[in-house]
Amino acid sequence: MNRSRQLKQSISAHLSDHLSLYTFIAVLFLMGIVFGAIIVNSLSLTQKEDLAIYLSRFFGQVSEGQFATASEMFQQSFTHYVKYIGLMWILGLTIIGLPIVLIMLFLKGIVVGFTVGFLVNQMSWKGFFLAFVSVFPQNILAVPAMIVVGTASLTFSLRLMRQLFMKRRTELILPPFLRFSALVVCTLGVLCIAAWFEAYLSPGLIKAVVDFD
């Protein structure tokens, strides 16, 4: 009971201390989503037609059940998440990695915004439901996890900058490093669930929407 209370207090203190950074990153991600949706409208007719042909072929394969096996999809998805979060962790250990982490989160927002925007643009209400079942299940876990790791990465990078430029040699770096690394490992557990959603849940939902007339 005491441990649970201490954990809640630690999380509350962490959110309070880094609220401005979380807000900034969340707004940056939302800007990426908006930018991704804008890109859809800026595509030429030829580009939209090419993407629509590719999309129709993909959904034709989905309707025929030509998915990769769930285990293969899970492995690919989780490996992608491990590489993405691992890169954030490495960048957090360097000063120059600070802007790159922000760019990664912004680009993630663009991908989500473009995917949803294009599906809705091409398929109207059916595209909305497809976007919902193909993007929402895994990203409801993956996006917050990436924002948390991104914030922790920026926080640790800023701590290194303070030590380097303000000569704060008395500040211990090992405890924050261990907390940062432990957070990344815990986040991978959340991303494992997100990869499971993507591999085992989303394909069936996508097929149901594609087959629905």
Side-chain angles (χ1 to χ4, degrees):
M1 207 52 190
N2 290 332
R3 287 184 180 180
S4 177
R5 185 178 302 173
Q6 289 176 354
L7 179 61
K8 290 180 180 179
Q9 289 176 347
S10 298
I11 293 174
S12 178
H14 171 79
L15 291 174
S16 178
D17 292 341
H18 301 93
L19 182 61
S20 59
L21 197 54
Y22 274 113
T23 302
F24 172 74
I25 291 178
V27 170
L28 182 71
F29 180 80
L30 289 174
M31 287 175 60
I33 292 177
V34 172
F35 192 71
I38 291 173
I39 291 175
V40 174
N41 293 324
S42 66
L43 291 175
S44 67
L45 182 61
T46 302
Q47 289 172 322
K48 286 185 178 180
E49 287 176 348
D50 289 342
L51 286 172
I53 291 171
Y54 172 79
L55 196 63
S56 63
R57 288 176 181 171
F58 171 74
F59 287 138
Q61 293 175 341
V62 169
S63 184
E64 295 172 5
Q66 296 179 11
F67 276 114
T69 64
S71 59
E72 289 175 343
M73 291 178 65
F74 174 80
Q75 184 178 1
Q76 292 173 2
S77 179
F78 186 61
T79 299
H80 165 73
Y81 287 138
V82 169
K83 290 178 179 178
Y84 195 92
I85 295 298
L87 181 58
M88 276 190 178
W89 177 75
I90 293 172
L91 291 171
L93 304 180
T94 67
I95 296 173
I96 59 172
L98 193 149
I100 302 176
V101 171
L102 294 175
I103 292 171
M104 289 175 66
L105 291 167
F106 182 70
L107 290 176
K108 176 64 177 176
I110 289 177
V111 170
V112 172
F114 182 86
T115 303
V116 175
F118 184 76
L119 286 171
V120 173
N121 181 272
Q122 292 294 308
M123 305 178 70
S124 187
W125 65 269
K126 192 170 185 178
F128 172 79
F129 285 114
L130 278 170
F132 185 81
V133 300
S134 64
V135 176
F136 183 76
Q138 62 270 22
N139 281 306
I140 194 175
L141 294 176
V143 169
M146 290 175 182
I147 290 176
V148 168
V149 173
T151 302
S153 179
L154 294 179
T155 301
F156 191 80
S157 185
L158 290 170
R159 186 184 295 271
L160 292 177
M161 288 179 65
R162 286 199 301 268
Q163 282 209 342
L164 181 62
F165 296 112
M166 299 178 67
K167 309 298 182 183
R168 297 176 65 176
R169 302 297 183 187
T170 56
E171 187 176 0
L172 296 176
I173 203 68
L174 182 60
F177 168 75
L178 293 176
R179 287 196 297 270
F180 176 35
S181 300
L183 176 65
V184 171
V185 172
C186 292
T187 304
L188 287 175
V190 176
L191 291 174
C192 182
I193 299 173
W196 185 90
F197 281 167
E198 192 170 351
Y200 291 91
L201 181 64
S202 290
L205 294 175
I206 293 172
K207 189 176 187 306
V209 174
V210 169
D211 292 341
F212 180 78
D213 292 323

